[in-house]
Amino acid sequence: MIRSELIHKIADENPHLTHRDVERIVSVVFDRIIEAMAHGQRVELRGFGAFSVKRRDGRIGRNPRTGEAVEVEEKHVPFFKTGKALRERLNGGTDPGPDPD
Amino acid sequence: MSDKTLTRMELADAVHREVGLSRNDSAALVESILAHISDALVRGETVKISSFGTFMVRDKAARVGRNPKTGEEVPIHPRRVLTFRSSQQMRERVAQGNRS
């Protein structure tokens, strides 16, 4: 499923909204999640999952082509953890426990 | 960095403010978006939201794990796991916004 198909499904269920409205609604929701993470905040959607920000320490990396050492600065990256209810649904109704990885 | 956690409520609030729908309708739409994504994933589909990221379901085989505390061997059952790959835009905005 891609973004436009999601918009289509929601528009079908909400005949009182224009397609344009639904596009905006979908954009606002995803954008709000990114905005929160850009402020270092966590977004917890119970049953679905949680978006959070993880810090990656700076390190000395290597240019794979030249082998030259380069300093990689500390940075923050997005992270998603699947919620319990969705994990259960993906596994036919039983929770196999959190993924050990 | 703020430690505030957002929930469905803040997402519904954003819809309410930006689109002008009632809080109830906004909340129902947020729920509906999450439900459609979940349903597609449960059907085994990959969900690709441009400029946000891609949710993908992967099958993992059974294997023998170890309790890191006791060293005891425990069977890890086969499972379907959900992985999320963030879009380039999301990674850039998150890196930019949290730069110290």
Side-chain angles (χ1 to χ4, degrees):
Chain A
M1 181 166 81
I2 60 173
R3 190 187 193 111
S4 57
E5 291 165 328
L6 172 64
I7 290 168
H8 202 86
K9 283 175 196 277
I10 309 243
D12 278 353
E13 287 173 352
N14 294 276
H16 55 291
L17 298 175
T18 66
H19 199 82
R20 187 90 192 83
D21 284 336
V22 178
E23 277 175 11
R24 273 177 72 203
I25 291 161
V26 168
S27 290
V28 163
V29 169
F30 290 122
D31 215 63
R32 186 69 189 86
I33 295 173
I34 298 179
E35 187 191 299
M37 285 194 287
H39 287 94
Q41 297 173 323
R42 179 184 158 82
V43 182
E44 195 171 312
L45 305 168
R46 205 151 281 232
F48 181 79
F51 295 93
S52 59
V53 178
K54 287 201 167 180
R55 197 186 67 142
R56 295 266 179 270
D57 284 333
R59 60 187 169 85
I60 303 295
R62 239 164 237 293
N63 180 329
R65 216 169 277 175
T66 62
E68 190 188 357
V70 280
E71 199 174 318
V72 181
E73 276 182 42
E74 167 197 301
K75 66 172 174 187
H76 290 81
V77 296
F79 181 75
F80 176 77
K81 182 170 187 280
T82 311
K84 190 167 186 292
L86 181 51
R87 196 165 63 222
E88 283 176 2
R89 281 190 68 200
L90 288 170
N91 287 280
T94 51
D95 185 3
D99 194 345
D101 302 329
Chain B
M1 196 184 283
S2 162
D3 56 4
K4 185 179 182 327
T5 294
L6 279 75
T7 64
R8 283 168 169 76
M9 199 178 75
E10 285 78 13
L11 301 186
D13 258 1
V15 171
H16 166 71
R17 277 197 315 271
E18 301 273 337
V19 190
L21 294 175
S22 74
R23 281 178 201 279
N24 266 341
D25 287 354
S26 301
L29 281 156
V30 169
E31 204 52 58
S32 169
I33 290 171
L34 298 178
H36 279 298
I37 296 174
S38 302
D39 291 350
L41 293 168
V42 170
R43 290 194 299 268
E45 291 177 34
T46 290
V47 176
K48 186 171 176 165
I49 307 294
S50 54
S51 79
F52 186 79
T54 304
F55 297 93
M56 200 181 298
V57 176
R58 287 193 307 145
D59 278 301
K60 287 193 138 186
R63 61 187 173 89
V64 177
R66 213 174 266 282
N67 180 328
K69 244 174 236 172
T70 63
E72 189 191 358
E73 285 192 352
V74 284
I76 295 174
H77 302 292
R79 60 187 60 218
R80 285 169 83 196
V81 297
L82 174 57
T83 57
F84 174 70
R85 176 164 166 77
S86 50
S87 68
Q88 181 70 26
Q89 288 100 309
M90 179 191 278
R91 286 198 296 276
E92 273 169 16
R93 280 180 69 188
V94 169
Q96 198 72 40
N98 291 285
R99 192 153 290 168
S100 42

